Amino acid sequence: MLFSRGFSRIPRSSFNGLRRLFLSSQLEYCAYHFIHTNNPKFLPHSTHMVLSGRHDFFPGFLASLHGSRHQIHQQSSSIVEDQHDPFSLVADELSLVADRLRSMVIAEVPKLASAAEYFFKMGVEGKRFRPTVLLLMSTAVNLSVPEPPKGLGDSVTTEMRNRQQSIAEITEMIHVASLLHDDVLDDADTRRGIGSLNFVMGNKLAVLAGDFLLSRACVALASLKNTEVVSLLATVVEHLVTGETMQMTTSSGQRCSMEYYMQKTYYKTASLISNSCKAIALLAGQTEEVATLAYEYGKNLGLAYQLIDDVLDFTGTSASLGKGSLSDIRHGIVTAPILFAIEEFPQLRAVVEQGFDNPTNVDLALEYLGRSHGIQKTKELAMKHANLAAEAIDSLPENDDEDVKRSRRALVDLTQRVVKRTK
Amino acid sequence: MLFSRGFSRIPRSSFNGLRRLFLSSQLEYCAYHFIHTNNPKFLPHSTHMVLSGRHDFFPGFLASLHGSRHQIHQQSSSIVEDQHDPFSLVADELSLVADRLRSMVIAEVPKLASAAEYFFKMGVEGKRFRPTVLLLMSTAVNLSVPEPPKGLGDSVTTEMRNRQQSIAEITEMIHVASLLHDDVLDDADTRRGIGSLNFVMGNKLAVLAGDFLLSRACVALASLKNTEVVSLLATVVEHLVTGETMQMTTSSGQRCSMEYYMQKTYYKTASLISNSCKAIALLAGQTEEVATLAYEYGKNLGLAYQLIDDVLDFTGTSASLGKGSLSDIRHGIVTAPILFAIEEFPQLRAVVEQGFDNPTNVDLALEYLGRSHGIQKTKELAMKHANLAAEAIDSLPENDDEDVKRSRRALVDLTQRVVKRTK
């Protein structure tokens, strides 16, 4: 959910209100979040309408990820010299996974198949982020490592790798199923720049296609014959639903509550990538300790990405406040920058509790935000989580295998690319 | 899906068209279906809009099931002397299952819990049919049988029984999840005589609640640590979706195709009960042969019920054509009686292919149906499947345990009650 949103953003409209951006450092918040960050009940307070289908296609970010290599300061990693592009490391295997995904959603009913294939057909780069992370994690935690992929087929020389690739496929199916249902929920008429499925084919088919993908994901999970992994990913679906429902039914008080926000964010954004990373480690036959480190990487990477996404919704590609699409706040979704601003300007709480149906309230909130350190605090918090993700990788048991080391460097590299992006 | 539809029917309106009902015997069709009945690709041609939420609450049938004991001719069973009420045999255990279902859908988000509990709270008798069959099957196929339930707790004295009860709970969750989504799909404003969830709480919450139930079902499945059972029930979800999509995207030609209809009917109506019956046998540690007999019982019981349901949609509580709600045909859904009628009156095909938006076509189809043997052939086909279901039970390995014999008699009894019902 999380990444597709970030990878699929188009500034829907630019806001002409307040543009000032104040920068400062509020490390006490990072300290606060550092203390609480390993407790799902006290996750950093950032979220995003990851299930709402409110953002459209923006192809630039992956390109910027690819293009920005060599420009990253590895602040928390001991591996500063890494020059590897995380995406090219698994490019061939990604194609294999994409092909298998398409073949997995072939149904006996052509129309259902076409519905389920809808996103997989698009070749939207955004969809590649989760599989990239999971394939890199597969190598990073593998005890025995296969030859790096040289082409289709080479990357699936081991049964274990096959099973780990299945996790990447299952994760994408769960993700796309939720997108399909989200489009229905919100009657979204666009998705990644193209008409959403419910717009093109009707709500009914979109819901059915989502159910179909969930059932295929469940069948694929069962075929792994690992009930712990089945439980992990079934729980993810529950988390996605719970998070969305929490957001949907937020009371005016809860909308300003950091704790409520933390929990919702974990459910909505971090659970999928963190638990699938953990599943990868479990299938590798790794210890619970290593599986927990994989989980921590996914959780913190996801949270970091989301926090930056929340900032970009206000700033867009520029560094100026109001240049973003402002789609969150205009949909009444209160994200990290506003929550930080409330801590500085308690009178903003009344505005937030009134809601944002009235554009005047949006302007007012942006004015408070501009006078606060909300944007900067959110960026610092994102960097804190990026660093925690990198630390989780650095804490993995030492391994001299070059492929393992290369994949771990790539995973650390990703954490920094995610927070440095400006679009 | 199947049973709730049958158990929750209200004649929405009575049709004042043609009332004549011709009775005759067309055994060649029964022979035809008898030959093909074990091949899913050649399932008897009957179906029902089981996923469409088009029927409302009708409390009478269970009462009629209870009331009709001792009045049944055990046409295909060697056990003619059975006096047991199938429902009272498992009454205590059914309450336990219902209580556990309620506790299983408690969510951290009250509103989500209330949405998921929506149907379980209702105490709609219809929901009890599937668990009744599955609990009776649990005893019928158990190698070692616990004491018959005397009260809460007594019925869960063995781990195996616990796991079989879980199948009953999971089956209900999958069923209710599909109802929730169906209400959204069809924008149904009633369900079992009360406002449907999407009417009361909105489509969004109904879809989320369905997803939530599916995820809880998947977690519960995983806890059984039997990947074959997980695959079985995941496949059921896929079948429900496939069947619904087949119906949704039926071309005018397919609507008159028996084979298409047979396959769709299996997916939409028989898959859930047949595969959950099989899961019960597998959890009992039974052989593949016994598991297949359990599957055959569920499949044929489901098909028999559906065929009678199709008849009742035309005849209602009386034996007169046009007394039913006619909701199928009015929604353009062509069921067994019409398909049989087409075989006698090929000119009816043109009417069916035109669709039934025009009430004149409904009248015309009813006239052809009245002149045909469609109703009678459908009833005969239902009896054929009821008998096949009974034969599956009679084919189970002999067992002298009184509880086993009592449960088997009750299962056979059910097959006859289902086809004898007049409402």
Side-chain angles (χ1 to χ4, degrees), chain A residues 49 108-109 111-112 181 185-186 204-205 207-208 211-212 215-216 218-219 222 225 227 230-231 234 237-238 241-242 244-246 248-249 263 267, chain B residues 49 108-109 111-112 181 185-186 204-205 207-208 211-212 215-216 218-219 222 225 227 230-231 234 237-238 241-242 244-246 248-249 263 267:
Chain A
M49 191 60 172
E108 292 172 39
V109 186
K111 198 160 183 178
L112 183 56
H181 284 183
L185 304 185
D186 300 300
K204 182 167 184 167
L205 199 58
V207 171
L208 288 173
D211 291 344
F212 173 72
S215 67
R216 285 272 154 124
C218 202
V219 171
K225 303 197 182 300
T227 53
V230 174
S231 293
V237 176
E238 191 177 315
V241 173
T242 303
E244 176 64 6
T245 312
M246 286 175 78
M248 200 181 110
T249 60
Q263 187 143 20
Y267 288 144
Chain B
M49 190 60 175
E108 292 172 40
V109 187
K111 198 161 184 178
L112 183 57
H181 283 184
L185 304 185
D186 300 301
K204 183 168 183 165
L205 199 57
V207 171
L208 287 173
D211 292 344
F212 172 72
S215 66
R216 284 274 155 121
C218 202
V219 171
K225 303 196 183 301
T227 53
V230 174
S231 292
V237 177
E238 192 178 314
V241 173
T242 302
E244 175 66 5
T245 312
M246 285 175 78
M248 199 180 112
T249 61
Q263 187 142 22
Y267 288 144

